[in-house]
Amino acid sequence: MKNKAKFIKEYLLLGLISLVSCAGFLAFSYQKAGVGFPLDDAWIHQTFARNFAENWTWSFQLGIPSGGSTGPLWGFLLSVIYLAGLPAVWGTHVLGYLMLWACSIMGFHISKTLFAGSKVPALLTGSLVAMEWHLVWSALSGMETILLILLTLSVFCWILETKENWWLPGILTGIAIWVRPDGITLAGPVLLSLVFRKAPVKKSLQSLFIYLGVVILVASSYFAFNYFVAGEFWPNTFYAKQAEY
């Protein structure tokens, strides 16, 4: 109980550091250009979220279903802000702040595993995550990037702790695909960690089937969603990026 209470204090401290980082960034932005979002893509997410909240249609142009959103899960999260009647920009910033705070907690636990027995590096690592300007920018950009970062840190935290609940990274990888299609790359480190565990073949195969089965189960709903709204398994922007590259 005592250790748990101490963890809570450290979490709150990381939350405070994350808040100061976000407040400092927003103050600087307000002074230079006003408070908003730096990229057009963020406003595209807002449009999908608003139309979904107000009309229950997944569309950019109202009434016309569209597969133009690469990360529909982020749009669904933003739609909650509209459903709650909160200011869209500030509500999104609060959501980003919470994601940054969660990232700092993941950094805390990753460091705690890497430097077991030492208390300072864990809190220091979490603080550095909360203050790293690329992450602060991502958190306040209105983009899904910070959510993908959080899922990535969560997967690596699971890998380092060598847990056996293989369904969990399967869920995290599947959710990452809902955030961005390239979230599938999380399968690489997860499967590599399975190889390095050097478990008996039977146990390794069982873990592999559980992980891949859960990934397929969660990801298949993403492909089904895209096919339902646009007639393609991948979002339109995915094909556009392929053509560009």
Side-chain angles (χ1 to χ4, degrees), residues 131-197:
M131 295 186 292
E132 207 287 318
W133 77 266
H134 296 87
L135 298 183
V136 178
W137 183 91
S138 297
L140 301 174
S141 68
M143 297 292 291
E144 75 281 7
T145 313
I146 191 65
L147 177 54
L148 184 61
I149 292 170
L150 174 59
L151 291 167
T152 302
L153 288 173
S154 300
V155 168
F156 276 90
C157 186
W158 180 89
I159 290 173
L160 290 170
E161 291 178 354
T162 61
K163 293 182 178 180
E164 295 296 333
N165 51 341
W166 287 87
W167 55 268
L168 181 56
I171 291 176
L172 293 174
T173 304
I175 293 175
I177 296 172
W178 269 93
V179 177
R180 288 183 68 91
D182 43 314
I184 188 62
T185 57
L186 288 176
V190 172
L191 296 177
L192 192 61
S193 73
L194 177 60
V195 174
F196 278 104
R197 291 192 186 194

Side-chain angles (χ1 to χ4, degrees), residues 9 22 34 36 40 54-55 62 79 96 105 109 115 123 145 159 164 179 185 194 218:
K9 291 180 180 179
C22 290
D40 291 342
E54 295 178 354
N55 299 279
L62 191 61
S79 69
I105 291 176
H109 282 286
F115 304 99
L123 187 57
T145 313
I159 290 173
E164 295 296 333
V179 177
T185 57
L194 177 60
V218 179

Side-chain angles (χ1 to χ4, degrees), residues 15-164:
L16 178 60
I17 295 172
S18 300
L19 181 61
V20 172
S21 296
C22 290
F25 181 91
L26 290 176
F28 177 80
S29 298
Y30 180 78
Q31 183 182 20
K32 293 296 182 180
V35 176
F37 303 123
L39 301 174
D40 291 342
D41 288 0
W43 294 106
I44 293 174
H45 284 301
Q46 294 290 332
T47 302
F48 274 99
R50 184 187 67 241
N51 288 342
F52 181 74
E54 295 178 354
N55 299 279
W56 299 105
T57 59
W58 192 250
S59 60
F60 181 77
Q61 186 174 348
L62 191 61
I64 303 176
S66 170
S69 174
T70 308
L73 179 59
W74 183 245
F76 291 141
L77 288 176
L78 294 179
S79 69
V80 176
I81 297 172
Y82 288 91
L83 288 170
L86 300 174
V89 173
W90 286 106
T92 304
H93 286 332
V94 170
L95 179 61
Y97 155 69
L98 294 175
M99 296 287 177
L100 179 65
W101 183 4
C103 285
S104 70
I105 291 176
M106 286 297 104
F108 172 86
H109 282 286
I110 288 174
S111 184
K112 200 167 186 63
T113 302
L114 292 174
F115 304 99
S118 180
K119 302 175 183 178
V120 176
L123 187 57
L124 178 61
T125 302
S127 301
L128 289 174
V129 170
M131 295 186 292
E132 207 287 318
W133 77 266
H134 296 87
L135 298 183
V136 178
W137 183 91
S138 297
L140 301 174
S141 68
M143 297 292 291
E144 75 281 7
T145 313
I146 191 65
L147 177 54
L148 184 61
I149 292 170
L150 174 59
L151 291 167
T152 302
L153 288 173
S154 300
V155 168
F156 276 90
C157 186
W158 180 89
I159 290 173
L160 290 170
E161 291 178 354
T162 61
K163 293 182 178 180
E164 295 296 333

